[in-house]
Amino acid sequence: MRRTLIALTATAATLGLAACGGGGSGGPLDNGPSGGAPAPSDTIKIGSANFSESTLLATIYAEALQAKGVKIDQTPPLGSRETYIPALKDGSIDLIPEYTGTLLQYLNPQATQSSADEVYAALRKTVPAPLTVLDKSAAEDKDAVVVTKALADKYNAKTIADLAPHCGELVVGGPSEFATRPDGTPGIQKTYSCAFKSYLSLDTGPVTVKALVDNTIQAADIFTTNPAIEENNLVALEDPKNNFAAQNVVPLINSAKATDQVKQILNAISAKLTTPELVELNRQLNAPDKPDSATVAKGWLTKNGLG
């Protein structure tokens, strides 16, 4: 993973990007978000995973397409890949924002690619028909080993490798699956010889951040687009050996709906979207006035000449 997206839940209020479960087939997905008549065949049905960043990205896609006259139908958040990948395959939805590394690992658990271009190239070959991915963006949301600035300064640690000699003194925290995922603590130990003192299962949002700030834990798995990193003066350690695969945002779409117009619109979004902008979009979602995703999406599209 990142993340494994399967393990995410979040609220716009907290921007905690954490674990969400998936459901089975059937239900509202069969007839769209209202449970009424199926959407017309020329309508693009847009879904999202069950966390705020995914919903925002789906809304950016929806608003941009609609502004150019494309008919869209945006569903409520769907949950995990166990729910939305089958929905894409059976036509319940046509388009969803995805992350290259975790999608590749979901489709091929033996995948070893880690750099952005290698992951994307492998993903394009792996995505099953009738699905396809369009252009990837520069924006990434991925796992990072995060520490306080005080600890980073103490050990002169800029990378996970710098921290490795001291890992045995540190408690690390994060979502429960990070303790067992191949790119979680097992991967960190294998790649960097960093064996933490112990693991504390928390979440991927505010609980983990608070535990890190108050020194309940000394290292944490926090996603790189979480604005709490900057707001709390935390340090996301660099990963020079690519324990965490690239996680670029990418549209995953049914090929039948990927017309030249649709591809042009979505690829233009990917060309403009960067990681700092994704952090800022998440920050806006968590602003005191709690704007909805459509307001934030429209603002970004207008700023970038895509609305």
Side-chain angles (χ1 to χ4, degrees):
M1 161 163 163
R2 158 175 162 287
R3 286 153 71 224
T4 152
L5 193 58
I6 300 171
L8 291 172
T9 58
T11 65
T14 63
L15 280 182
L17 307 172
C20 63
S25 59
L29 285 182
D30 293 332
N31 294 314
S34 64
S41 59
D42 62 345
T43 297
I44 295 182
K45 294 164 284 186
I46 305 173
S48 69
N50 192 26
F51 64 99
S52 58
E53 183 177 286
S54 181
T55 301
L56 173 63
L57 291 167
T59 304
I60 288 174
Y61 293 166
E63 294 290 343
L65 290 166
Q66 195 166 38
K68 299 297 184 182
V70 179
K71 295 178 183 178
I72 64 97
D73 179 12
Q74 189 171 358
T75 73
L78 302 176
S80 71
R81 288 190 180 89
E82 284 83 355
T83 298
Y84 67 72
I85 294 296
L88 281 162
K89 290 179 177 179
D90 71 18
S92 297
I93 60 171
D94 303 309
L95 168 66
I96 197 165
E98 257 290 5
Y99 300 86
T100 55
T102 45
L103 179 58
L104 176 61
Q105 290 167 1
Y106 174 84
L107 297 172
N108 177 16
Q110 283 72 49
T112 59
Q113 293 82 0
S114 58
S115 73
D117 289 343
E118 289 174 342
V119 168
Y120 179 64
L123 180 61
R124 291 184 65 187
K125 296 177 182 178
T126 305
V127 172
L131 307 181
T132 189
V133 288
L134 303 183
D135 290 356
K136 65 177 174 65
S137 72
E140 280 193 279
D141 184 4
K142 62 192 296 186
D143 293 272
V145 175
V146 177
V147 298
T148 63
K149 187 176 186 303
L151 188 138
D153 290 345
K154 177 181 178 180
Y155 295 129
N156 193 27
K158 296 181 180 180
T159 72
I160 303 173
D162 296 333
L163 190 68
H166 310 284
C167 287
E169 308 164 32
L170 311 177
V171 177
V172 63
S176 58
E177 70 276 3
F178 191 74
T180 58
R181 282 204 331 257
D183 63 346
T185 54
I188 293 169
Q189 182 171 352
K190 179 179 179 181
T191 304
Y192 290 102
S193 299
C194 167
F196 289 104
K197 178 180 178 181
S198 61
Y199 191 89
L200 184 60
S201 294
L202 298 166
D203 69 352
T204 52
V207 175
T208 295
V209 172
K210 182 178 184 302
L212 184 60
V213 170
D214 68 18
N215 202 40
T216 301
I217 58 176
Q218 292 77 52
D221 172 39
I222 298 176
F223 302 138
T224 53
T225 59
N226 191 331
I229 294 175
E230 180 180 340
E231 292 166 357
N232 291 276
N233 197 28
L234 303 174
V235 177
L237 298 176
E238 296 173 16
D239 176 25
K241 296 183 180 180
N242 295 314
N243 176 71
F244 302 115
Q247 302 294 350
N248 299 86
V249 176
V250 67
L252 177 63
I253 189 170
N254 189 307
S255 299
K257 298 298 178 76
T259 65
D260 288 343
Q261 180 191 25
V262 168
K263 287 190 287 188
Q264 182 178 9
I265 294 167
L266 296 177
N267 287 341
I269 292 171
S270 293
K272 294 283 189 178
L273 190 63
T274 65
T275 301
E277 285 194 319
L278 194 51
V279 174
E280 177 57 27
L281 287 168
N282 281 327
R283 194 190 319 279
Q284 290 177 30
L285 278 179
N286 200 35
D289 59 345
K290 299 295 185 290
D292 61 24
S293 60
T295 300
V296 176
K298 288 176 182 178
W300 184 82
L301 289 166
T302 300
K303 183 186 79 170
N304 287 279
L306 299 172

